[in-house]
């Protein structure tokens, strides 16, 4: 079965940075488009960044220019570098396959990102 383990969240001040990691096991990682998602309390889960098997990327307008997604196929890890964080970025962040192209794997526990003003 596919397992997704997110890490790297924490509490930061507005303008700060965090680097999230997602370790993937149980699937052919390198051929899958992967994404980072987030869910704030009372809001639906949203896709914020995608990286394809060919390393092209796409971002939600809300994070474009501030977040960078990358992948290390040798280590089966997807990263999300988050810079210039804003309070509205506060959410639980999850990784998974790109739900516009692939069937989702079971969600991991996510990692909490909290940005103070």
């Amino acid at each position: 079965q596919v397992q997704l383990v997110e890490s790297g969240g924490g509490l930061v001040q507005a303008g700060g940075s965090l680097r999230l990691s997602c370790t993937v096991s149980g699937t052919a990682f390198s051929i899958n488009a992967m994404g980072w998602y987030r869910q704030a309390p009372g809001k639906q889960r949203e896709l914020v960044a995608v990286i394809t098997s060919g390393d092209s990327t796409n971002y939600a307008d809300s994070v474009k220019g501030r977040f960078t997604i990358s992948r290390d196929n040798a280590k089966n890890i997807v990263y999300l570098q988050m810079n210039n964080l804003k309070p509205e970025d506060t959410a639980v962040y999850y990784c998974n396959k790109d739900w516009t192209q692939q069937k989702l794997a079971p969600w991991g526990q996510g990692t909490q990102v909290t940005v103070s003003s």
Side-chain angles (χ1 to χ4, degrees), residues 19-22 36 49 51 68-72 75 77-81:
R19 187 196 193 203
L20 307 184
S21 298
C22 170
W36 280 96
I51 184 164
T68 302
I69 187 171
S70 61
R71 66 194 298 162
D72 184 336
K75 297 181 178 180
I77 299 175
V78 185
Y79 301 98
L80 186 67
Q81 178 67 46

PDB file of all heavy atoms in Angstrom, residues 19-22 36 49 51 68-72 75 77-81:
ATOM      1  N   ARG A  19      10.492  24.433   5.282  1.00  0.00           N
ATOM      2  CA  ARG A  19      10.668  23.433   4.235  1.00  0.00           C
ATOM      3  C   ARG A  19       9.976  22.151   4.665  1.00  0.00           C
ATOM      4  O   ARG A  19      10.366  21.540   5.663  1.00  0.00           O
ATOM      5  CB  ARG A  19      12.144  23.164   3.981  1.00  0.00           C
ATOM      6  CG  ARG A  19      12.409  22.247   2.784  1.00  0.00           C
ATOM      7  CD  ARG A  19      13.822  21.726   2.826  1.00  0.00           C
ATOM      8  NE  ARG A  19      14.237  21.092   1.588  1.00  0.00           N
ATOM      9  CZ  ARG A  19      15.211  20.193   1.497  1.00  0.00           C
ATOM     10  NH1 ARG A  19      15.888  19.824   2.574  1.00  0.00           N
ATOM     11  NH2 ARG A  19      15.525  19.679   0.323  1.00  0.00           N
ATOM     12  N   LEU A  20       8.967  21.756   3.923  1.00  0.00           N
ATOM     13  CA  LEU A  20       8.236  20.533   4.200  1.00  0.00           C
ATOM     14  C   LEU A  20       8.796  19.386   3.372  1.00  0.00           C
ATOM     15  O   LEU A  20       9.257  19.587   2.247  1.00  0.00           O
ATOM     16  CB  LEU A  20       6.754  20.701   3.878  1.00  0.00           C
ATOM     17  CG  LEU A  20       6.034  21.898   4.505  1.00  0.00           C
ATOM     18  CD1 LEU A  20       4.550  21.854   4.153  1.00  0.00           C
ATOM     19  CD2 LEU A  20       6.235  21.931   6.011  1.00  0.00           C
ATOM     20  N   SER A  21       8.723  18.188   3.924  1.00  0.00           N
ATOM     21  CA  SER A  21       9.154  16.990   3.227  1.00  0.00           C
ATOM     22  C   SER A  21       8.038  15.960   3.243  1.00  0.00           C
ATOM     23  O   SER A  21       7.288  15.857   4.213  1.00  0.00           O
ATOM     24  CB  SER A  21      10.395  16.380   3.887  1.00  0.00           C
ATOM     25  OG  SER A  21      11.490  17.264   3.849  1.00  0.00           O
ATOM     26  N   CYS A  22       7.932  15.204   2.178  1.00  0.00           N
ATOM     27  CA  CYS A  22       6.984  14.100   2.074  1.00  0.00           C
ATOM     28  C   CYS A  22       7.737  12.884   1.577  1.00  0.00           C
ATOM     29  O   CYS A  22       8.267  12.894   0.461  1.00  0.00           O
ATOM     30  CB  CYS A  22       5.846  14.453   1.114  1.00  0.00           C
ATOM     31  SG  CYS A  22       4.772  13.062   0.686  1.00  0.00           S
ATOM     32  N   TRP A  36       1.301  19.006  -3.344  1.00  0.00           N
ATOM     33  CA  TRP A  36       1.100  19.410  -1.964  1.00  0.00           C
ATOM     34  C   TRP A  36      -0.285  20.036  -1.856  1.00  0.00           C
ATOM     35  O   TRP A  36      -0.674  20.850  -2.701  1.00  0.00           O
ATOM     36  CB  TRP A  36       2.156  20.407  -1.499  1.00  0.00           C
ATOM     37  CG  TRP A  36       3.455  19.768  -1.115  1.00  0.00           C
ATOM     38  CD1 TRP A  36       4.565  19.624  -1.887  1.00  0.00           C
ATOM     39  CD2 TRP A  36       3.763  19.184   0.160  1.00  0.00           C
ATOM     40  NE1 TRP A  36       5.554  18.992  -1.182  1.00  0.00           N
ATOM     41  CE2 TRP A  36       5.090  18.707   0.075  1.00  0.00           C
ATOM     42  CE3 TRP A  36       3.061  19.020   1.348  1.00  0.00           C
ATOM     43  CZ2 TRP A  36       5.728  18.071   1.142  1.00  0.00           C
ATOM     44  CZ3 TRP A  36       3.689  18.389   2.413  1.00  0.00           C
ATOM     45  CH2 TRP A  36       5.002  17.921   2.305  1.00  0.00           C
ATOM     46  N   ALA A  49       0.375  23.045  -5.047  1.00  0.00           N
ATOM     47  CA  ALA A  49       1.569  22.901  -5.875  1.00  0.00           C
ATOM     48  C   ALA A  49       1.621  21.511  -6.462  1.00  0.00           C
ATOM     49  O   ALA A  49       1.262  20.538  -5.794  1.00  0.00           O
ATOM     50  CB  ALA A  49       2.839  23.175  -5.070  1.00  0.00           C
ATOM     51  N   ILE A  51       4.102  18.841  -9.081  1.00  0.00           N
ATOM     52  CA  ILE A  51       5.297  18.574  -9.864  1.00  0.00           C
ATOM     53  C   ILE A  51       5.081  17.275 -10.625  1.00  0.00           C
ATOM     54  O   ILE A  51       4.671  16.270 -10.056  1.00  0.00           O
ATOM     55  CB  ILE A  51       6.568  18.530  -8.990  1.00  0.00           C
ATOM     56  CG1 ILE A  51       7.812  18.346  -9.870  1.00  0.00           C
ATOM     57  CG2 ILE A  51       6.480  17.469  -7.907  1.00  0.00           C
ATOM     58  CD1 ILE A  51       9.109  18.668  -9.144  1.00  0.00           C
ATOM     59  N   THR A  68       7.974  26.707  -3.557  1.00  0.00           N
ATOM     60  CA  THR A  68       8.646  25.943  -4.596  1.00  0.00           C
ATOM     61  C   THR A  68       8.538  24.462  -4.282  1.00  0.00           C
ATOM     62  O   THR A  68       8.947  24.020  -3.202  1.00  0.00           O
ATOM     63  CB  THR A  68      10.124  26.330  -4.722  1.00  0.00           C
ATOM     64  OG1 THR A  68      10.241  27.730  -4.992  1.00  0.00           O
ATOM     65  CG2 THR A  68      10.785  25.547  -5.857  1.00  0.00           C
ATOM     66  N   ILE A  69       8.000  23.688  -5.218  1.00  0.00           N
ATOM     67  CA  ILE A  69       7.913  22.244  -5.067  1.00  0.00           C
ATOM     68  C   ILE A  69       9.059  21.593  -5.835  1.00  0.00           C
ATOM     69  O   ILE A  69       9.429  22.051  -6.920  1.00  0.00           O
ATOM     70  CB  ILE A  69       6.537  21.710  -5.543  1.00  0.00           C
ATOM     71  CG1 ILE A  69       6.384  20.218  -5.228  1.00  0.00           C
ATOM     72  CG2 ILE A  69       6.319  21.992  -7.022  1.00  0.00           C
ATOM     73  CD1 ILE A  69       4.972  19.688  -5.487  1.00  0.00           C
ATOM     74  N   SER A  70       9.621  20.544  -5.271  1.00  0.00           N
ATOM     75  CA  SER A  70      10.686  19.808  -5.928  1.00  0.00           C
ATOM     76  C   SER A  70      10.599  18.342  -5.520  1.00  0.00           C
ATOM     77  O   SER A  70       9.858  17.986  -4.596  1.00  0.00           O
ATOM     78  CB  SER A  70      12.065  20.392  -5.591  1.00  0.00           C
ATOM     79  OG  SER A  70      12.319  20.328  -4.198  1.00  0.00           O
ATOM     80  N   ARG A  71      11.349  17.498  -6.210  1.00  0.00           N
ATOM     81  CA  ARG A  71      11.320  16.076  -5.885  1.00  0.00           C
ATOM     82  C   ARG A  71      12.697  15.475  -6.040  1.00  0.00           C
ATOM     83  O   ARG A  71      13.504  15.911  -6.863  1.00  0.00           O
ATOM     84  CB  ARG A  71      10.307  15.335  -6.760  1.00  0.00           C
ATOM     85  CG  ARG A  71      10.649  15.291  -8.248  1.00  0.00           C
ATOM     86  CD  ARG A  71       9.443  14.855  -9.090  1.00  0.00           C
ATOM     87  NE  ARG A  71       8.998  13.509  -8.760  1.00  0.00           N
ATOM     88  CZ  ARG A  71       7.801  13.017  -9.080  1.00  0.00           C
ATOM     89  NH1 ARG A  71       6.911  13.783  -9.712  1.00  0.00           N
ATOM     90  NH2 ARG A  71       7.492  11.770  -8.754  1.00  0.00           N
ATOM     91  N   ASP A  72      12.962  14.456  -5.241  1.00  0.00           N
ATOM     92  CA  ASP A  72      14.181  13.677  -5.325  1.00  0.00           C
ATOM     93  C   ASP A  72      13.739  12.246  -5.577  1.00  0.00           C
ATOM     94  O   ASP A  72      13.325  11.539  -4.657  1.00  0.00           O
ATOM     95  CB  ASP A  72      14.994  13.793  -4.035  1.00  0.00           C
ATOM     96  CG  ASP A  72      16.326  13.077  -4.122  1.00  0.00           C
ATOM     97  OD1 ASP A  72      16.472  12.145  -4.924  1.00  0.00           O
ATOM     98  OD2 ASP A  72      17.241  13.466  -3.361  1.00  0.00           O
ATOM     99  N   LYS A  75      15.372   9.335  -3.634  1.00  0.00           N
ATOM    100  CA  LYS A  75      15.003   9.196  -2.233  1.00  0.00           C
ATOM    101  C   LYS A  75      13.497   9.089  -2.013  1.00  0.00           C
ATOM    102  O   LYS A  75      13.058   8.922  -0.875  1.00  0.00           O
ATOM    103  CB  LYS A  75      15.544  10.382  -1.428  1.00  0.00           C
ATOM    104  CG  LYS A  75      17.055  10.471  -1.412  1.00  0.00           C
ATOM    105  CD  LYS A  75      17.519  11.656  -0.578  1.00  0.00           C
ATOM    106  CE  LYS A  75      19.029  11.730  -0.514  1.00  0.00           C
ATOM    107  NZ  LYS A  75      19.488  12.889   0.290  1.00  0.00           N
ATOM    108  N   ILE A  77      11.204  11.455  -2.201  1.00  0.00           N
ATOM    109  CA  ILE A  77      10.802  12.573  -1.361  1.00  0.00           C
ATOM    110  C   ILE A  77      10.320  13.720  -2.236  1.00  0.00           C
ATOM    111  O   ILE A  77      10.938  14.034  -3.256  1.00  0.00           O
ATOM    112  CB  ILE A  77      11.954  13.048  -0.461  1.00  0.00           C
ATOM    113  CG1 ILE A  77      12.399  11.928   0.481  1.00  0.00           C
ATOM    114  CG2 ILE A  77      11.546  14.278   0.341  1.00  0.00           C
ATOM    115  CD1 ILE A  77      13.609  12.284   1.323  1.00  0.00           C
ATOM    116  N   VAL A  78       9.228  14.343  -1.818  1.00  0.00           N
ATOM    117  CA  VAL A  78       8.741  15.584  -2.408  1.00  0.00           C
ATOM    118  C   VAL A  78       8.914  16.681  -1.368  1.00  0.00           C
ATOM    119  O   VAL A  78       8.573  16.490  -0.197  1.00  0.00           O
ATOM    120  CB  VAL A  78       7.263  15.483  -2.826  1.00  0.00           C
ATOM    121  CG1 VAL A  78       6.833  16.746  -3.554  1.00  0.00           C
ATOM    122  CG2 VAL A  78       7.021  14.262  -3.698  1.00  0.00           C
ATOM    123  N   TYR A  79       9.425  17.814  -1.799  1.00  0.00           N
ATOM    124  CA  TYR A  79       9.661  18.931  -0.903  1.00  0.00           C
ATOM    125  C   TYR A  79       8.753  20.100  -1.253  1.00  0.00           C
ATOM    126  O   TYR A  79       8.346  20.274  -2.394  1.00  0.00           O
ATOM    127  CB  TYR A  79      11.109  19.415  -1.000  1.00  0.00           C
ATOM    128  CG  TYR A  79      12.147  18.379  -0.669  1.00  0.00           C
ATOM    129  CD1 TYR A  79      12.804  17.674  -1.675  1.00  0.00           C
ATOM    130  CD2 TYR A  79      12.483  18.100   0.649  1.00  0.00           C
ATOM    131  CE1 TYR A  79      13.767  16.727  -1.377  1.00  0.00           C
ATOM    132  CE2 TYR A  79      13.444  17.153   0.954  1.00  0.00           C
ATOM    133  CZ  TYR A  79      14.083  16.467  -0.058  1.00  0.00           C
ATOM    134  OH  TYR A  79      15.037  15.526   0.254  1.00  0.00           O
ATOM    135  N   LEU A  80       8.485  20.912  -0.256  1.00  0.00           N
ATOM    136  CA  LEU A  80       7.817  22.187  -0.476  1.00  0.00           C
ATOM    137  C   LEU A  80       8.563  23.247   0.319  1.00  0.00           C
ATOM    138  O   LEU A  80       8.489  23.266   1.549  1.00  0.00           O
ATOM    139  CB  LEU A  80       6.346  22.150  -0.060  1.00  0.00           C
ATOM    140  CG  LEU A  80       5.538  23.400  -0.403  1.00  0.00           C
ATOM    141  CD1 LEU A  80       5.385  23.542  -1.919  1.00  0.00           C
ATOM    142  CD2 LEU A  80       4.165  23.368   0.262  1.00  0.00           C
ATOM    143  N   GLN A  81       9.291  24.094  -0.385  1.00  0.00           N
ATOM    144  CA  GLN A  81       9.955  25.224   0.233  1.00  0.00           C
ATOM    145  C   GLN A  81       8.975  26.383   0.272  1.00  0.00           C
ATOM    146  O   GLN A  81       8.467  26.806  -0.774  1.00  0.00           O
ATOM    147  CB  GLN A  81      11.207  25.612  -0.553  1.00  0.00           C
ATOM    148  CG  GLN A  81      11.946  26.819   0.004  1.00  0.00           C
ATOM    149  CD  GLN A  81      12.560  26.556   1.359  1.00  0.00           C
ATOM    150  OE1 GLN A  81      13.192  25.524   1.565  1.00  0.00           O
ATOM    151  NE2 GLN A  81      12.367  27.474   2.293  1.00  0.00           N
TER     152      GLN A  81
END
